[in-house]
Amino acid sequence: MFKAKNNLSNLEKYWILYDVGNSAFIMLVSTIIPIYFKNIAKSYGVSLANSTAYWGYSISISTLIVAILGPTLGALADTKGYKKPLFTLFLMLGVIGCAMLSVPMPWILFLAVFVLAKVGVSASLIFYDAMLNDVTTDDRMDMLSSMGYAWGYIGSCIPFVISLVLILSAEKLSMTSARATGLAFLLNAAWWLLVTVPLLKNYRQVHYVEVKEHPFSDAMERLLNTFRDIKKQKEIFMFLLAFFFYIDGVYTIIEMATSYGKDVGISDNNLLFALLLTQVVAFPFALVFGKLSRKYKTKDLIAFCIGGYFLIALFALQLDKAWEFWFLAVCVAMFQGAIQALSRSYFAKIIPKEKSSEYFGFFDIFGKGASFTGTMLMGVTTQLSGSSKTGVAFISLMFVIGFLIFRKAAKMQSAQ
């Protein structure tokens, strides 16, 4: 079933394609959607600082919902025959939500629809990440996980570039900018769904728990047992704790970069093209780190990426020029895919395979909980201080804490 070296099986390719699909929406979340929202909010008299805060709150709410649902959904998905239907359900919630953003609406309603779409994509990733154990082997996980992020970055550029052309050429096409943006949302929703079809048709759950008479209550019982197991398996718990802190900064930078750049005076065009550059540069670097994982220990590469992000956060504190935002975008691209891919594969290798969805449910709690904390912290500190830079200063501290805890977790894992 699985190929040697770099040759991918068809199933591995189909798994990668979902990264290509959902990354299109995630790209919108970090580029066009916040700009579009801030322009809508401005037309309703909402200040830049407040619209940044409200954007952060909407992301926080969506991540909190998924963090609460994650472990329960993960436990249920480990039951034989449940993973694909649950994955499909949340995939469609995300796709439909993305398409609905094309409908003109007040800023508060726009945020509500965005929250639904964000819940859809975030929840679908719980099951998608857990599929890693079903589609490949332990020795290929770092490589495949990195390739997923890499092709996700470059693949998402296709609908994004078309969307950008639509928006920037709106007048020539006899359309308003809002109309062109709405068509872009529809395009990305269609792309997301179409490239996921091969995975939906061919994925089969390999590792699972047999169906019991009462699947939901059985899932709850297994969830409690897994929680107790994680508390006893200190190396897993410490990794999750470290992940909470360092991924906090990563997700916050990804989701708030455009809004932050707009606040410090970077033009819309510079923001969009700089973030497109991020996707292009992230592609080779994600592949490079995947190859480096064969030569260097995964834990050392993750620690290196955390250090890189800490320096990025420090640089962002003095950012006020377009070229600095472009430079920052390139720096983020170097580590963005690597730290997410290697964290995913590192975790997949240290957990029980038959409980992968349950464990990834907790992985999601710590990841989404971090995203909630980071974006909420960014929103609150921005409103209180009147400056986005205060929030960035707090985010930089998260990388320091995450680095220290991760080094301890890695030592505990090595001692196993």
Side-chain angles (χ1 to χ4, degrees), residues 127-145:
F127 315 114
Y128 171 68
D129 290 345
M131 287 177 184
L132 190 58
N133 276 312
D134 291 328
V135 302
T136 194
T137 54
D138 281 2
D139 61 315
R140 295 170 64 81
M141 282 186 184
D142 287 333
M143 177 272 295
L144 186 62
S145 185

Side-chain angles (χ1 to χ4, degrees), residues 93-115:
L93 177 62
V95 169
I96 293 170
C98 179
M100 285 179 62
L101 292 175
S102 64
V103 180
M105 62 187 84
W107 69 269
I108 189 69
L109 186 56
F110 182 90
L111 281 186
V113 174
F114 169 72
V115 167

Side-chain angles (χ1 to χ4, degrees), residues 172-363:
K172 294 181 181 179
L173 297 172
S174 301
M175 289 190 291
T176 64
S177 179
R179 175 67 172 167
T181 304
L183 289 176
F185 293 153
L186 289 173
L187 168 69
N188 281 268
W191 170 273
W192 183 3
L193 180 60
L194 288 174
V195 299
T196 308
V197 170
L199 181 63
L200 292 176
K201 290 177 64 176
N202 294 279
Y203 169 75
R204 297 293 181 272
Q205 193 170 348
V206 177
H207 303 286
Y208 52 78
V209 177
E210 290 291 345
V211 179
K212 298 290 182 68
E213 185 178 355
H214 303 289
F216 186 79
S217 59
D218 177 64
M220 293 303 96
E221 184 179 347
R222 286 189 281 107
L223 179 62
L224 290 174
N225 290 334
T226 298
F227 180 69
R228 296 189 190 101
D229 289 343
I230 289 177
K231 288 174 65 178
K232 293 176 184 176
Q233 296 169 308
K234 293 184 178 180
E235 72 282 1
I236 294 179
F237 177 76
M238 289 298 290
F239 168 75
L240 287 173
L241 189 61
F243 180 70
F244 173 87
F245 282 102
Y246 71 73
I247 212 66
D248 184 333
V250 173
Y251 286 161
T252 304
I253 287 173
I254 291 172
E255 294 175 328
M256 300 297 290
T258 304
S259 190
Y260 176 70
K262 200 166 174 63
D263 284 356
V264 297
I266 311 301
S267 70
D268 289 359
N269 285 354
N270 270 308
L271 289 172
L272 291 172
F273 284 112
L275 290 165
L276 174 60
L277 177 65
T278 300
Q279 301 295 100
V280 175
V281 175
F283 170 69
F285 275 96
L287 293 178
V288 166
F289 274 93
K291 290 184 177 181
L292 287 175
S293 66
R294 299 176 193 165
K295 185 176 181 181
Y296 300 98
K297 294 179 180 179
T298 306
K299 62 181 182 181
D300 293 333
L301 293 175
I302 292 174
F304 180 73
C305 289
I306 297 172
Y309 258 105
F310 172 69
L311 295 177
I312 287 169
L314 291 184
F315 181 80
L317 286 172
Q318 56 80 55
L319 187 152
D320 60 2
K321 298 180 180 66
W323 75 264
E324 291 177 335
F325 191 85
W326 282 76
F327 175 73
L328 191 68
V330 172
C331 292
V332 168
M334 293 172 62
F335 302 107
Q336 181 173 298
I339 196 167
Q340 294 179 88
L342 294 174
S343 296
R344 175 169 64 185
S345 56
Y346 182 87
F347 186 70
K349 287 186 284 188
I350 64 175
I351 62 174
K353 287 180 170 49
E354 71 281 1
K355 296 182 178 180
S356 60
S357 293
E358 290 180 39
Y359 274 79
F360 268 105
F362 282 100
F363 183 79

Side-chain angles (χ1 to χ4, degrees), residues 115-126:
V115 167
L116 291 177
K118 191 71 165 54
V119 166
V121 68
S122 298
S124 74
L125 291 175
I126 297 174

